[in-house]
Amino acid sequence: MTGELSPIDKAKFVAAKRAAEFVEDGMRVGLGTGSTAAWLVRCLGEMVREDGLRIRGVPTSTRTGQLAREAGIEVITLDEARWLDVTIDGADEFDSDLNLIKGGGGALLQEKIVATASDQMVVIADAGKEVGTLGAFALPVEVIPFGASCTRTLIEETLVSMDVLGRQVSLRMNGDAPFMTDEGNHILDLHLKRIGNVRQLSLVLNQIPGVVENGLFIDICDTVVIGYGDGRVEVRDINEGTVEKGRLDFVESDNLFSDLAD
């Protein structure tokens, strides 16, 4: 089946397959949201069914929870887990310091809570997600529906004094209605093009009334696993300062990943 995948999906698959090696028997694992994280969930599900791996997963969205249950992974809440051994998730962008933009899938709040409640955060991504400076991908900001237009105005006014190239703000839509997060909130996408000072921007955004959380993940990611379309995998550990390079061979599977080439 993997022979039919596009290079980008092959890259996601090998990154997820390599990242699954961070998971050990008995661990409490944060399960990310998005197409790359979905590969991981299916890889872990295969390990549960075929290798007897015993883990408990804490999903970062309702759709990840459903996928994990379908894959045979025991799902618990973060309150039940209390703390996690590792969280593995995707990213929309990452830089050389392993700062991230996340939230393209609309689950940034739960993703950030779960990631910061973990001993380790591992990000899985295809090589195209690496950037010199964050900001080409629109920065999601989760806001409560009450007074959302006022919150948007405050954000737009705040961006004037920030070190960014663009200041366009758009309300994320789902058809004709605003997109709703699992918490019932809206998402404003900030089209900034380049973010000069990610720490300052994150701090200032979260001080605006009505803002719940933003999609900048700073000093949270410990390791990034980068997949390439030809099977190469690179593992960078920001704490150890190490870079490990390898290659994973594609193994044909009848239906394990057939519904994840998205």
PDB file of all heavy atoms in Angstrom, residues 195-221:
ATOM      1  N   ILE A 195       7.515  36.201  11.801  1.00  0.00           N
ATOM      2  CA  ILE A 195       7.417  36.625  13.199  1.00  0.00           C
ATOM      3  C   ILE A 195       8.830  36.870  13.704  1.00  0.00           C
ATOM      4  O   ILE A 195       9.623  35.937  13.854  1.00  0.00           O
ATOM      5  CB  ILE A 195       6.719  35.557  14.064  1.00  0.00           C
ATOM      6  CG1 ILE A 195       5.327  35.240  13.498  1.00  0.00           C
ATOM      7  CG2 ILE A 195       6.616  36.031  15.514  1.00  0.00           C
ATOM      8  CD1 ILE A 195       4.656  34.064  14.179  1.00  0.00           C
ATOM      9  N   GLY A 196       9.143  38.117  13.987  1.00  0.00           N
ATOM     10  CA  GLY A 196      10.493  38.468  14.405  1.00  0.00           C
ATOM     11  C   GLY A 196      10.812  38.068  15.837  1.00  0.00           C
ATOM     12  O   GLY A 196      11.952  37.697  16.149  1.00  0.00           O
ATOM     13  N   ASN A 197       9.833  38.157  16.733  1.00  0.00           N
ATOM     14  CA  ASN A 197      10.046  37.855  18.148  1.00  0.00           C
ATOM     15  C   ASN A 197       8.885  36.998  18.636  1.00  0.00           C
ATOM     16  O   ASN A 197       7.847  37.511  19.040  1.00  0.00           O
ATOM     17  CB  ASN A 197      10.153  39.157  18.954  1.00  0.00           C
ATOM     18  CG  ASN A 197      10.609  38.921  20.388  1.00  0.00           C
ATOM     19  OD1 ASN A 197      10.313  37.885  20.988  1.00  0.00           O
ATOM     20  ND2 ASN A 197      11.326  39.878  20.949  1.00  0.00           N
ATOM     21  N   VAL A 198       9.075  35.683  18.598  1.00  0.00           N
ATOM     22  CA  VAL A 198       7.979  34.780  18.919  1.00  0.00           C
ATOM     23  C   VAL A 198       7.582  34.853  20.392  1.00  0.00           C
ATOM     24  O   VAL A 198       6.400  34.745  20.739  1.00  0.00           O
ATOM     25  CB  VAL A 198       8.323  33.326  18.540  1.00  0.00           C
ATOM     26  CG1 VAL A 198       8.445  33.187  17.035  1.00  0.00           C
ATOM     27  CG2 VAL A 198       9.595  32.851  19.228  1.00  0.00           C
ATOM     28  N   ARG A 199       8.552  35.040  21.265  1.00  0.00           N
ATOM     29  CA  ARG A 199       8.246  35.094  22.701  1.00  0.00           C
ATOM     30  C   ARG A 199       7.403  36.320  23.036  1.00  0.00           C
ATOM     31  O   ARG A 199       6.429  36.234  23.786  1.00  0.00           O
ATOM     32  CB  ARG A 199       9.541  35.103  23.519  1.00  0.00           C
ATOM     33  CG  ARG A 199      10.363  33.845  23.359  1.00  0.00           C
ATOM     34  CD  ARG A 199      11.671  33.926  24.152  1.00  0.00           C
ATOM     35  NE  ARG A 199      12.530  32.805  23.803  1.00  0.00           N
ATOM     36  CZ  ARG A 199      12.423  31.611  24.351  1.00  0.00           C
ATOM     37  NH1 ARG A 199      11.502  31.392  25.287  1.00  0.00           N
ATOM     38  NH2 ARG A 199      13.233  30.635  23.990  1.00  0.00           N
ATOM     39  N   GLN A 200       7.786  37.439  22.495  1.00  0.00           N
ATOM     40  CA  GLN A 200       7.039  38.666  22.756  1.00  0.00           C
ATOM     41  C   GLN A 200       5.620  38.562  22.224  1.00  0.00           C
ATOM     42  O   GLN A 200       4.651  38.912  22.912  1.00  0.00           O
ATOM     43  CB  GLN A 200       7.748  39.859  22.110  1.00  0.00           C
ATOM     44  CG  GLN A 200       7.019  41.184  22.329  1.00  0.00           C
ATOM     45  CD  GLN A 200       7.596  42.304  21.480  1.00  0.00           C
ATOM     46  OE1 GLN A 200       7.879  42.123  20.304  1.00  0.00           O
ATOM     47  NE2 GLN A 200       7.786  43.470  22.099  1.00  0.00           N
ATOM     48  N   LEU A 201       5.487  38.055  20.994  1.00  0.00           N
ATOM     49  CA  LEU A 201       4.167  37.961  20.385  1.00  0.00           C
ATOM     50  C   LEU A 201       3.270  37.014  21.184  1.00  0.00           C
ATOM     51  O   LEU A 201       2.102  37.335  21.443  1.00  0.00           O
ATOM     52  CB  LEU A 201       4.280  37.474  18.943  1.00  0.00           C
ATOM     53  CG  LEU A 201       2.958  37.323  18.193  1.00  0.00           C
ATOM     54  CD1 LEU A 201       2.237  38.664  18.092  1.00  0.00           C
ATOM     55  CD2 LEU A 201       3.190  36.734  16.804  1.00  0.00           C
ATOM     56  N   SER A 202       3.789  35.879  21.584  1.00  0.00           N
ATOM     57  CA  SER A 202       2.992  34.919  22.353  1.00  0.00           C
ATOM     58  C   SER A 202       2.513  35.530  23.661  1.00  0.00           C
ATOM     59  O   SER A 202       1.344  35.388  24.037  1.00  0.00           O
ATOM     60  CB  SER A 202       3.815  33.661  22.629  1.00  0.00           C
ATOM     61  OG  SER A 202       3.064  32.727  23.377  1.00  0.00           O
ATOM     62  N   LEU A 203       3.398  36.207  24.363  1.00  0.00           N
ATOM     63  CA  LEU A 203       3.045  36.817  25.642  1.00  0.00           C
ATOM     64  C   LEU A 203       1.985  37.891  25.468  1.00  0.00           C
ATOM     65  O   LEU A 203       0.991  37.932  26.211  1.00  0.00           O
ATOM     66  CB  LEU A 203       4.296  37.417  26.289  1.00  0.00           C
ATOM     67  CG  LEU A 203       4.087  38.148  27.616  1.00  0.00           C
ATOM     68  CD1 LEU A 203       3.590  37.198  28.685  1.00  0.00           C
ATOM     69  CD2 LEU A 203       5.391  38.816  28.061  1.00  0.00           C
ATOM     70  N   VAL A 204       2.156  38.747  24.482  1.00  0.00           N
ATOM     71  CA  VAL A 204       1.227  39.855  24.279  1.00  0.00           C
ATOM     72  C   VAL A 204      -0.147  39.358  23.855  1.00  0.00           C
ATOM     73  O   VAL A 204      -1.176  39.840  24.339  1.00  0.00           O
ATOM     74  CB  VAL A 204       1.801  40.843  23.241  1.00  0.00           C
ATOM     75  CG1 VAL A 204       0.752  41.871  22.836  1.00  0.00           C
ATOM     76  CG2 VAL A 204       3.026  41.546  23.800  1.00  0.00           C
ATOM     77  N   LEU A 205      -0.184  38.385  22.948  1.00  0.00           N
ATOM     78  CA  LEU A 205      -1.476  37.850  22.492  1.00  0.00           C
ATOM     79  C   LEU A 205      -2.275  37.270  23.643  1.00  0.00           C
ATOM     80  O   LEU A 205      -3.491  37.492  23.755  1.00  0.00           O
ATOM     81  CB  LEU A 205      -1.263  36.782  21.417  1.00  0.00           C
ATOM     82  CG  LEU A 205      -0.856  37.265  20.025  1.00  0.00           C
ATOM     83  CD1 LEU A 205      -0.540  36.084  19.125  1.00  0.00           C
ATOM     84  CD2 LEU A 205      -1.941  38.141  19.398  1.00  0.00           C
ATOM     85  N   ASN A 206      -1.619  36.542  24.525  1.00  0.00           N
ATOM     86  CA  ASN A 206      -2.336  35.885  25.613  1.00  0.00           C
ATOM     87  C   ASN A 206      -2.771  36.843  26.713  1.00  0.00           C
ATOM     88  O   ASN A 206      -3.507  36.449  27.615  1.00  0.00           O
ATOM     89  CB  ASN A 206      -1.484  34.758  26.202  1.00  0.00           C
ATOM     90  CG  ASN A 206      -1.535  33.497  25.359  1.00  0.00           C
ATOM     91  OD1 ASN A 206      -2.092  33.488  24.274  1.00  0.00           O
ATOM     92  ND2 ASN A 206      -0.951  32.429  25.862  1.00  0.00           N
ATOM     93  N   GLN A 207      -2.359  38.095  26.638  1.00  0.00           N
ATOM     94  CA  GLN A 207      -2.808  39.102  27.589  1.00  0.00           C
ATOM     95  C   GLN A 207      -4.060  39.829  27.121  1.00  0.00           C
ATOM     96  O   GLN A 207      -4.660  40.592  27.878  1.00  0.00           O
ATOM     97  CB  GLN A 207      -1.686  40.127  27.841  1.00  0.00           C
ATOM     98  CG  GLN A 207      -0.505  39.554  28.612  1.00  0.00           C
ATOM     99  CD  GLN A 207       0.617  40.575  28.782  1.00  0.00           C
ATOM    100  OE1 GLN A 207       0.777  41.477  27.964  1.00  0.00           O
ATOM    101  NE2 GLN A 207       1.388  40.435  29.848  1.00  0.00           N
ATOM    102  N   ILE A 208      -4.478  39.568  25.881  1.00  0.00           N
ATOM    103  CA  ILE A 208      -5.652  40.237  25.329  1.00  0.00           C
ATOM    104  C   ILE A 208      -6.916  39.551  25.839  1.00  0.00           C
ATOM    105  O   ILE A 208      -7.072  38.330  25.689  1.00  0.00           O
ATOM    106  CB  ILE A 208      -5.624  40.217  23.786  1.00  0.00           C
ATOM    107  CG1 ILE A 208      -4.415  41.013  23.273  1.00  0.00           C
ATOM    108  CG2 ILE A 208      -6.919  40.768  23.208  1.00  0.00           C
ATOM    109  CD1 ILE A 208      -4.231  40.936  21.767  1.00  0.00           C
ATOM    110  N   PRO A 209      -7.842  40.282  26.461  1.00  0.00           N
ATOM    111  CA  PRO A 209      -9.093  39.672  26.925  1.00  0.00           C
ATOM    112  C   PRO A 209      -9.847  39.006  25.772  1.00  0.00           C
ATOM    113  O   PRO A 209      -9.979  39.581  24.690  1.00  0.00           O
ATOM    114  CB  PRO A 209      -9.875  40.870  27.479  1.00  0.00           C
ATOM    115  CG  PRO A 209      -8.822  41.866  27.853  1.00  0.00           C
ATOM    116  CD  PRO A 209      -7.751  41.715  26.810  1.00  0.00           C
ATOM    117  N   GLY A 210     -10.302  37.802  26.013  1.00  0.00           N
ATOM    118  CA  GLY A 210     -11.003  37.037  24.985  1.00  0.00           C
ATOM    119  C   GLY A 210     -10.140  36.000  24.307  1.00  0.00           C
ATOM    120  O   GLY A 210     -10.656  35.048  23.715  1.00  0.00           O
ATOM    121  N   VAL A 211      -8.814  36.181  24.382  1.00  0.00           N
ATOM    122  CA  VAL A 211      -7.904  35.190  23.821  1.00  0.00           C
ATOM    123  C   VAL A 211      -7.747  34.043  24.809  1.00  0.00           C
ATOM    124  O   VAL A 211      -7.424  34.257  25.978  1.00  0.00           O
ATOM    125  CB  VAL A 211      -6.531  35.803  23.493  1.00  0.00           C
ATOM    126  CG1 VAL A 211      -5.524  34.700  23.138  1.00  0.00           C
ATOM    127  CG2 VAL A 211      -6.648  36.793  22.337  1.00  0.00           C
ATOM    128  N   VAL A 212      -7.975  32.841  24.340  1.00  0.00           N
ATOM    129  CA  VAL A 212      -7.808  31.650  25.178  1.00  0.00           C
ATOM    130  C   VAL A 212      -6.376  31.145  25.106  1.00  0.00           C
ATOM    131  O   VAL A 212      -5.739  30.883  26.120  1.00  0.00           O
ATOM    132  CB  VAL A 212      -8.782  30.543  24.746  1.00  0.00           C
ATOM    133  CG1 VAL A 212      -8.613  29.304  25.619  1.00  0.00           C
ATOM    134  CG2 VAL A 212     -10.220  31.038  24.790  1.00  0.00           C
ATOM    135  N   GLU A 213      -5.844  31.011  23.902  1.00  0.00           N
ATOM    136  CA  GLU A 213      -4.479  30.515  23.701  1.00  0.00           C
ATOM    137  C   GLU A 213      -4.073  30.761  22.269  1.00  0.00           C
ATOM    138  O   GLU A 213      -4.922  30.929  21.391  1.00  0.00           O
ATOM    139  CB  GLU A 213      -4.403  29.018  24.026  1.00  0.00           C
ATOM    140  CG  GLU A 213      -2.999  28.426  24.057  1.00  0.00           C
ATOM    141  CD  GLU A 213      -2.068  29.179  24.984  1.00  0.00           C
ATOM    142  OE1 GLU A 213      -2.091  28.935  26.205  1.00  0.00           O
ATOM    143  OE2 GLU A 213      -1.308  30.035  24.466  1.00  0.00           O
ATOM    144  N   ASN A 214      -2.753  30.828  22.023  1.00  0.00           N
ATOM    145  CA  ASN A 214      -2.256  30.989  20.661  1.00  0.00           C
ATOM    146  C   ASN A 214      -1.454  29.759  20.260  1.00  0.00           C
ATOM    147  O   ASN A 214      -1.087  28.928  21.094  1.00  0.00           O
ATOM    148  CB  ASN A 214      -1.403  32.257  20.547  1.00  0.00           C
ATOM    149  CG  ASN A 214      -0.078  32.134  21.279  1.00  0.00           C
ATOM    150  OD1 ASN A 214       0.877  31.545  20.765  1.00  0.00           O
ATOM    151  ND2 ASN A 214      -0.013  32.693  22.485  1.00  0.00           N
ATOM    152  N   GLY A 215      -1.189  29.645  18.972  1.00  0.00           N
ATOM    153  CA  GLY A 215      -0.556  28.456  18.425  1.00  0.00           C
ATOM    154  C   GLY A 215       0.952  28.452  18.409  1.00  0.00           C
ATOM    155  O   GLY A 215       1.562  27.593  17.762  1.00  0.00           O
ATOM    156  N   LEU A 216       1.594  29.377  19.124  1.00  0.00           N
ATOM    157  CA  LEU A 216       3.048  29.349  19.255  1.00  0.00           C
ATOM    158  C   LEU A 216       3.433  28.418  20.395  1.00  0.00           C
ATOM    159  O   LEU A 216       3.039  28.626  21.546  1.00  0.00           O
ATOM    160  CB  LEU A 216       3.588  30.753  19.507  1.00  0.00           C
ATOM    161  CG  LEU A 216       3.574  31.710  18.315  1.00  0.00           C
ATOM    162  CD1 LEU A 216       3.884  33.131  18.755  1.00  0.00           C
ATOM    163  CD2 LEU A 216       4.566  31.249  17.245  1.00  0.00           C
ATOM    164  N   PHE A 217       4.197  27.388  20.094  1.00  0.00           N
ATOM    165  CA  PHE A 217       4.707  26.451  21.093  1.00  0.00           C
ATOM    166  C   PHE A 217       6.189  26.744  21.273  1.00  0.00           C
ATOM    167  O   PHE A 217       7.009  26.406  20.419  1.00  0.00           O
ATOM    168  CB  PHE A 217       4.499  25.010  20.639  1.00  0.00           C
ATOM    169  CG  PHE A 217       3.085  24.514  20.762  1.00  0.00           C
ATOM    170  CD1 PHE A 217       2.013  25.222  20.214  1.00  0.00           C
ATOM    171  CD2 PHE A 217       2.816  23.321  21.413  1.00  0.00           C
ATOM    172  CE1 PHE A 217       0.715  24.759  20.317  1.00  0.00           C
ATOM    173  CE2 PHE A 217       1.516  22.836  21.524  1.00  0.00           C
ATOM    174  CZ  PHE A 217       0.459  23.564  20.985  1.00  0.00           C
ATOM    175  N   ILE A 218       6.536  27.389  22.380  1.00  0.00           N
ATOM    176  CA  ILE A 218       7.898  27.857  22.624  1.00  0.00           C
ATOM    177  C   ILE A 218       8.494  27.096  23.799  1.00  0.00           C
ATOM    178  O   ILE A 218       7.893  27.019  24.869  1.00  0.00           O
ATOM    179  CB  ILE A 218       7.902  29.373  22.903  1.00  0.00           C
ATOM    180  CG1 ILE A 218       7.256  30.125  21.736  1.00  0.00           C
ATOM    181  CG2 ILE A 218       9.318  29.870  23.151  1.00  0.00           C
ATOM    182  CD1 ILE A 218       6.978  31.580  22.019  1.00  0.00           C
ATOM    183  N   ASP A 219       9.679  26.546  23.604  1.00  0.00           N
ATOM    184  CA  ASP A 219      10.380  25.779  24.642  1.00  0.00           C
ATOM    185  C   ASP A 219       9.536  24.611  25.150  1.00  0.00           C
ATOM    186  O   ASP A 219       9.599  24.258  26.334  1.00  0.00           O
ATOM    187  CB  ASP A 219      10.777  26.690  25.811  1.00  0.00           C
ATOM    188  CG  ASP A 219      11.763  27.766  25.405  1.00  0.00           C
ATOM    189  OD1 ASP A 219      12.521  27.534  24.462  1.00  0.00           O
ATOM    190  OD2 ASP A 219      11.750  28.847  26.037  1.00  0.00           O
ATOM    191  N   ILE A 220       8.759  24.014  24.298  1.00  0.00           N
ATOM    192  CA  ILE A 220       7.932  22.865  24.667  1.00  0.00           C
ATOM    193  C   ILE A 220       8.436  21.595  23.988  1.00  0.00           C
ATOM    194  O   ILE A 220       8.486  20.532  24.603  1.00  0.00           O
ATOM    195  CB  ILE A 220       6.457  23.115  24.302  1.00  0.00           C
ATOM    196  CG1 ILE A 220       5.909  24.310  25.101  1.00  0.00           C
ATOM    197  CG2 ILE A 220       5.610  21.876  24.567  1.00  0.00           C
ATOM    198  CD1 ILE A 220       4.484  24.684  24.739  1.00  0.00           C
ATOM    199  N   CYS A 221       8.819  21.702  22.722  1.00  0.00           N
ATOM    200  CA  CYS A 221       9.276  20.546  21.953  1.00  0.00           C
ATOM    201  C   CYS A 221      10.714  20.182  22.333  1.00  0.00           C
ATOM    202  O   CYS A 221      11.600  21.045  22.382  1.00  0.00           O
ATOM    203  CB  CYS A 221       9.195  20.852  20.465  1.00  0.00           C
ATOM    204  SG  CYS A 221       9.837  19.555  19.404  1.00  0.00           S
TER     205      CYS A 221
END
